[in-house]
Amino acid sequence: MKILCGPGDAIMLLAHKNEKGRLVATSVEVNLGKLLYGHNGRVLSEDDILCGISLLVELLAQLFNSRKLALSAVPGLVDTSKSRWTMLEITTHRNDPKQVIFNALRQASYPRVRKKLVEASESIRFGGKRSSTAISIYRKQLEMASKYGASKVKKGGEVLRMEVILKNDALVKEFSSLQEPAGLRTFDGGVNKSPKDGLVSFTFQNLREVHQRVMSRMQGCFQLPPKEGDRQELTGIFIARAFSAFPSQNEKTLHDLLDLYGETTNASADRMGRVRRAALKELESLGETTIHFGEVFSEESYVNPPAVVVPKKERVTLATRAMTEVLPEVRLAYGSPKVEGRYLP
């Protein structure tokens, strides 16, 4: 049985009736963005995370008619709790007015994860619903305008959303070797099952580091050349753009790649000359059309990320957010040394 509650049904409980006919909740799923702002067009700050988890506890306490049960339902707040995180969606936004990042990622691959172009011009997904690691990349402004109506979404620049979704073993694995340790605990596996580690708490820094690490595994990010034009020039442009996605690049290795192309295609000297000139020219101008992960996912890029705002939705929830105080149990489990302007990836 599903039970929806909170602003915009941001909280979902799965429950069943026990032998006494009482409802027993088996899992809790929460969308903190929707809980705090009425939508998920914003990237949450560290304060948002702490406030959102505190609000979750308060709402569950009302639903369960027990503050003790509510604290136990949220991982990391009570030492004796058996609750753990089994799925996290870690998100960040980037300004992408010319769709440079989006178009480069359309060509990318991810190790052992299948890619799907859901809407070729709007969204990319790596992994399926059952995947323990999945990545969803899409144009957030378009999605929000379609969902709520363009007139209700505050006008702004083109915002690209990049979601990393981790479940179960993949979630534990990514959080088990971080610079700032996350909260991991070993849980009894049950009858005839081995004990397993589970994630019970995390900090803002943990989330950013995991997002960075997962996205850094992307391979082969480059933009395809135009569809029309001189065939030799387009070939040269394609080779240069594909080459720009290699981990290390220099002009010598580009010449080696061009030589290999000439040998495998038996291209004439005239044709190869045109391909080579187009490739070298394109490589010089790739500054505006190539993404560099060191810049896209640098420490600075996570500060004050762009948002897609729905003012009417936010007016309903911001009053509740303003009245919600961060619980000491939440700050102890999920808080970290305060750094101004840090935002959840």
Side-chain angles (χ1 to χ4, degrees), residues 77 100 143 206 220 274 326:
L77 304 187
V100 171
E143 187 255 359
N206 293 154
R274 294 167 66 186
V326 175

Side-chain angles (χ1 to χ4, degrees), residues 49-76:
I49 300 169
L50 300 180
C51 184
I53 295 175
S54 298
L55 181 55
L56 172 64
V57 172
E58 299 293 356
L59 293 172
L60 289 178
Q62 295 175 28
L63 183 66
F64 297 156
N65 196 27
S66 169
R67 188 175 185 82
K68 182 179 179 180
L69 285 177
L71 287 169
S72 183
V74 178

Side-chain angles (χ1 to χ4, degrees), residues 273-285:
R274 294 167 66 186
V275 170
R276 193 179 300 274
R277 285 191 296 273
L280 293 173
K281 181 180 178 181
E282 181 67 14
L283 191 64
E284 289 180 1
S285 63

Side-chain angles (χ1 to χ4, degrees), residues 292-317:
H292 302 281
F293 276 104
E295 297 174 4
V296 176
F297 300 106
S298 66
E299 294 283 347
E300 295 76 16
S301 68
Y302 286 96
V303 177
N304 295 325
V308 181
V309 179
V310 186
K312 185 175 287 189
K313 287 278 183 184
E314 296 191 4
R315 283 198 292 271
V316 177
T317 57

Side-chain angles (χ1 to χ4, degrees), residues 101-111 115 126 215-224 238 241-247 249 290-291 293:
I101 302 174
F102 178 79
N103 287 330
L105 288 169
R106 286 181 61 192
Q107 317 310 322
S109 62
Y110 195 88
K115 180 175 68 175
F126 296 84
M215 292 301 296
S216 70
R217 299 187 189 122
M218 286 283 187
Q219 300 171 352
C221 301
F222 69 98
Q223 291 198 85
L224 290 173
F238 177 87
R241 291 188 178 182
F243 173 74
S244 70
F246 291 177
Q249 311 132 6
T290 303
I291 70 167
F293 276 104

Side-chain angles (χ1 to χ4, degrees), residues 1-18:
M1 179 187 300
K2 291 183 180 180
I3 301 173
L4 301 175
C5 60
D9 293 334
I11 303 170
M12 183 179 75
L13 286 77
L14 293 182
H16 68 273
K17 287 185 178 182
N18 62 13

